[in-house]
Amino acid sequence: MASISATPKSSLADEPVKICVTGLEPSQLVTIRASLTDEKGVLFQARAFYWSDKKGQVDLTRDAASGGDYSGVQPMGLFLFMKPEKPFSRLKKRDVMNSPYEVRLDVFDSLQLVSPSQEPPVASQSVERWYTAPGVQRIPVRHGRVRGALFLPAGNGPFPGVIDLFGGVGGLVEFRASLLASRGFTTLALAYFAYEDLPSFLGPMDLEYFEEAAEFLLKHPKVRGPSLGIVAISKGAEIALAMATYLPQIGAAVCINGTNAVHGNPLSYRDLCIPPIPYKRECMLITDHGVVDFSNLYEDPGAKLHQESVLPVEKAQGKILLIAGESDGNCKSKAFATAIMERMKKLGKTHCALLSYPKAGHLIEPPGSPFCYDSWLPAVSRPVLWGGEAQAHAAAQVHSWSEIQKFLHLHIGPAKSSSL
């Protein structure tokens, strides 16, 4: 009798799961399917076709899928290549504390292309994918102007402190902050527009708001100073680069697929006002599928008329890690990162490093997050292009997540990791 095992059955969302099928006939063709329903009721699925070995077994850490949503040896392929049934949906955990994603694994003894299958599975198993480790606490933050959620690791601490920022999606996004807390970092998921009493739309950016958040975090008894880390993506990475440039509280900044200058929205800090490079909105492209391509939105920061907008990153007191997907469909992040590195080299600065990933797209997230090529963006009321190729992007997520933690450990102090 066929059976499927997934180990561990309950784990953090960024941890690998080992999947094996036994009890099959030798050289039997099977379909293995993973499915989950997100908090909005959207079904996500991935399937792959495998031939069993002479013992009637399939081991995803060893055996290559012949086809399906991916091919080749992909131990976590059923998680990484999930696709939404509803177009332009992005899998993004909202309630990180009270429930996991429950992923159902089904084995069919034939090639199955459609769902629901007309045949019952010959074996099934469910696994839980959590975004918080046991003992992690979530505390809503309404401190002065600062809005967000603070995640405290289990234990007495103090722990290294990290601010977590997302980009143009707005609101409060918590899944990366909760995973960082599960890895031993006291983490503030920080909102800066489209949340509670914050501005509904992203307008002029006041760096003093982010400084207020940094001071709040540094004063927390579970935070070990004297400096903080920051992990940010997209527009958040632009802000993070400005924070690293001007705020002495930032000891380590991770900027994922950001820019090297202030774009679209002016940025102020005390008496300083940095004019933005205007977006070339007339250069947006709409694909045959109705998806907006923003990659031509950005003017060249190297032009003489834009030099006041370029961030003087050489002033940063802490370390900077740039992460770039070379097939980023949202902005030319590799070019921006290269410009930062060249500026640093020209000025003899060594406190900046670059991780550049061929064929990776814009949404480089923790491992276990399915590849997302395009999705709906409320700010523009259209789906937008993120880009990348699934297999290379998945590999970039695994490698970069490990490197981010190493970088933070090195520059703001070691953290104690947790697991389920």
Side-chain angles (χ1 to χ4, degrees), residues 218-370:
L218 276 171
K219 290 176 181 176
H220 195 280
K222 275 204 170 184
V223 172
R224 180 177 66 238
S227 62
L228 300 172
I230 182 167
V231 179
I233 188 169
S234 195
K235 187 66 174 183
E238 178 183 309
I239 296 169
L241 193 65
M243 292 172 69
T245 300
Y246 295 109
L247 303 186
Q249 298 93 337
I250 305 303
V254 179
C255 301
I256 305 168
N257 287 329
T259 68
N260 66 328
V262 175
H263 288 266
N265 312 87
L267 183 142
S268 62
Y269 179 57
R270 299 178 183 174
D271 296 330
L272 175 70
C273 185
I274 301 178
I277 301 173
Y279 292 130
K280 297 189 295 181
R281 301 183 187 277
E282 72 280 8
C283 293
M284 291 186 293
L285 298 175
I286 302 175
T287 72
D288 293 341
H289 300 289
V291 178
V292 180
D293 180 347
F294 283 152
S295 59
N296 293 319
L297 204 65
Y298 300 87
E299 293 193 24
D300 180 13
K304 286 186 178 180
L305 72 161
H306 296 322
Q307 290 311 292
E308 289 185 3
S309 303
V310 176
L311 291 166
V313 290
E314 66 277 2
K315 294 182 178 180
Q317 297 181 28
K319 302 291 184 178
I320 299 170
L321 176 62
L322 305 170
I323 295 176
E326 295 183 15
S327 294
D328 185 345
N330 191 257
C331 77
K332 295 178 172 61
S333 53
K334 174 64 183 298
F336 292 135
T338 300
I340 293 171
M341 296 300 295
E342 290 176 351
R343 181 184 182 104
M344 289 292 203
K345 182 178 179 181
K346 182 178 180 180
L347 296 173
K349 303 293 182 178
T350 60
H351 55 279
C352 191
L354 169 61
L355 293 175
S356 185
Y357 295 102
K359 299 181 181 180
H362 189 71
L363 294 180
I364 297 177
E365 298 181 332
S369 303

Side-chain angles (χ1 to χ4, degrees), residues 403-414:
E403 292 301 308
I404 287 169
Q405 293 177 69
K406 290 178 185 177
F407 176 77
L408 294 173
H409 290 161
L410 181 61
H411 299 299
I412 60 171

Side-chain angles (χ1 to χ4, degrees), residues 109-302:
D109 64 358
S110 61
L111 191 147
Q112 295 286 332
L113 279 175
V114 297
S115 295
S117 172
Q118 295 180 351
E119 299 179 13
V122 297
S124 298
Q125 174 70 63
S126 291
V127 297
E128 293 180 341
R129 303 287 281 168
W130 287 89
Y131 283 79
T132 47
V136 170
Q137 299 178 59
R138 178 190 184 275
I139 301 173
V141 174
R142 291 181 62 89
H143 178 85
R145 293 186 297 166
V146 178
R147 301 291 180 266
L150 183 63
F151 291 89
L152 304 178
N156 296 324
F159 305 99
V162 174
I163 294 174
D164 186 61
L165 280 179
F166 277 79
V169 66
L172 182 61
V173 184
E174 303 179 21
F175 67 87
R176 191 172 58 201
S178 62
L179 284 173
L180 284 168
S182 299
R183 297 302 175 197
F185 300 94
T186 296
T187 308
L188 173 62
L190 182 63
Y192 55 100
F193 76 100
Y195 180 72
E196 293 190 350
D197 56 351
L198 295 173
S200 300
F201 298 95
L202 182 60
M205 297 179 295
D206 181 4
L207 206 58
E208 290 185 56
Y209 171 80
F210 300 94
E211 185 175 45
E212 186 178 339
E215 287 296 329
F216 161 78
L217 189 56
L218 276 171
K219 290 176 181 176
H220 195 280
K222 275 204 170 184
V223 172
R224 180 177 66 238
S227 62
L228 300 172
I230 182 167
V231 179
I233 188 169
S234 195
K235 187 66 174 183
E238 178 183 309
I239 296 169
L241 193 65
M243 292 172 69
T245 300
Y246 295 109
L247 303 186
Q249 298 93 337
I250 305 303
V254 179
C255 301
I256 305 168
N257 287 329
T259 68
N260 66 328
V262 175
H263 288 266
N265 312 87
L267 183 142
S268 62
Y269 179 57
R270 299 178 183 174
D271 296 330
L272 175 70
C273 185
I274 301 178
I277 301 173
Y279 292 130
K280 297 189 295 181
R281 301 183 187 277
E282 72 280 8
C283 293
M284 291 186 293
L285 298 175
I286 302 175
T287 72
D288 293 341
H289 300 289
V291 178
V292 180
D293 180 347
F294 283 152
S295 59
N296 293 319
L297 204 65
Y298 300 87
E299 293 193 24
D300 180 13

